[in-house]
Amino acid sequence: KAGVTQTPRYLIKTRGQQVTLSCSPISGHRSVSWYQQTPGQGLQFLFEYFSETQRNKGNFPGRFSGRQFSNSRSEMNVSTLELGDSALYLCASRGTVTTNEKLFFGSGTQLSVL
Amino acid sequence: AQKVTQAQTEISVVEKEDVTLDCVYETRDTTYYLFWYKQPPSGELVFLIRRNSFDEQNEISGRYSWNFQKSTSSFNFTITASQVVDSAVYFCALSDSNTGNQFYFGTGTSLTVIP
């Protein structure tokens, strides 16, 4: 069974540009979550989608948005990039959204904003 | 409010030493789950263990063991006879129903095992 796949693996952008990251969950998983990881900050929750609907949203500005498609694949978009957006963006999937359901993570997309 | 605290930012040990990673959590929910994940340099977080709030039994899996104590809201992780391959960042996380089963992660503990 294939794991969570994130593309691209690395991305370099300049300030003001926008970027779209992609995540394909494990087959059969309907939930996809996105996290931003920066040194010293740990994993900051961005949002979670389940069956194409956003369930939860973290405390990030509106420049960060996402969506989920009918095949459960998800995209995350960041508009008007800032230097502080440089981070590892991790995607995670799970089959359901119950309390005990663990997350399965992808390898992440390393975004550098110059 | 839900919160997970990992006070140890970085730990270095010599190979074969034992090491304990601390995790303290906060939640008002009575039903919740605690998790530990390992993040090697490749970046992908790997699931290690899950524990529910009603099961305070300690667990041992090979060189890994976990101590869950509700009285102190702690869920500590011990590696016995550490190895170089244990070098990674370790995250503790909480999931509870009050917030739609969203995960709350600690800031992680970076473990370096020196050969």
Side-chain angles (χ1 to χ4, degrees):
Chain A
K1 204 173 188 181
V4 178
T5 304
Q6 291 189 247
T7 57
R9 186 72 176 91
Y10 300 95
L11 209 47
I12 299 175
K13 292 286 188 180
T14 56
R15 278 187 306 172
Q17 287 187 310
Q18 78 164 23
V19 66
T20 299
L21 312 181
S22 180
C23 173
S24 293
I26 289 173
S27 178
H29 284 190
R30 294 160 64 191
S31 161
V32 173
S33 301
W34 289 89
Y35 292 84
Q36 181 194 66
Q37 184 179 14
T38 53
Q41 294 296 314
L43 275 73
Q44 303 292 312
F45 173 73
L46 281 155
F47 28 67
E48 179 178 23
Y49 287 87
F50 182 76
S51 295
E52 301 179 67
T53 301
Q54 189 179 88
R55 292 188 70 243
N56 289 310
K57 190 178 190 310
N59 190 25
F60 276 82
R63 299 185 296 108
F64 292 81
S65 63
R67 59 178 175 169
Q68 187 180 34
F69 302 96
S70 57
N71 62 357
S72 294
R73 190 178 70 85
S74 177
E75 288 182 347
M76 190 192 87
N77 185 77
V78 187
S79 63
T80 319
L81 283 166
E82 300 177 359
L83 295 178
D85 297 332
S86 295
L88 178 67
Y89 289 88
L90 291 162
C91 165
S93 76
R94 50 181 174 170
T96 66
V97 290
T98 54
T99 311
N100 65 329
E101 190 75 12
K102 65 188 179 188
L103 296 171
F104 293 83
F105 283 85
S107 297
T109 294
Q110 183 67 55
L111 172 64
S112 296
V113 182
L114 307 178
Chain B
Q2 290 71 15
K3 187 178 179 182
V4 176
T5 301
Q6 294 180 256
Q8 304 152 307
T9 305
E10 295 181 2
I11 299 177
S12 291
V13 298
V14 176
E15 200 170 21
K16 296 184 183 177
E17 286 184 345
D18 298 348
V19 58
T20 295
L21 309 183
D22 298 332
C23 173
V24 175
Y25 63 92
E26 294 176 31
T27 178
R28 293 180 180 176
D29 206 349
T30 55
T31 302
Y32 53 89
Y33 279 78
L34 296 164
F35 302 77
W36 275 95
Y37 282 84
K38 173 183 180 180
Q39 185 181 39
S42 62
E44 179 178 334
L45 273 77
V46 177
F47 167 78
L48 294 177
I49 190 171
R50 168 181 51 203
R51 212 85 185 127
N52 75 55
S53 52
F54 300 106
D55 184 0
E56 286 193 74
Q57 273 195 337
N58 292 333
E59 180 153 341
I60 298 175
S61 176
R63 297 184 297 106
Y64 296 169
S65 63
W66 290 269
N67 183 292
F68 174 34
Q69 291 193 339
K70 286 180 76 170
S71 60
T72 56
S73 296
S74 65
F75 186 40
N76 297 335
F77 173 30
T78 297
I79 301 175
T80 303
S82 59
Q83 299 176 3
V84 173
V85 293
D86 295 327
S87 296
V89 181
Y90 291 86
F91 290 95
C92 180
L94 164 74
S95 169
D96 70 23
S97 57
N98 273 349
T99 54
N101 305 319
Q102 175 183 323
F103 270 64
Y104 292 86
F105 284 86
T107 51
T109 297
S110 178
L111 173 66
T112 301
V113 181
I114 304 165

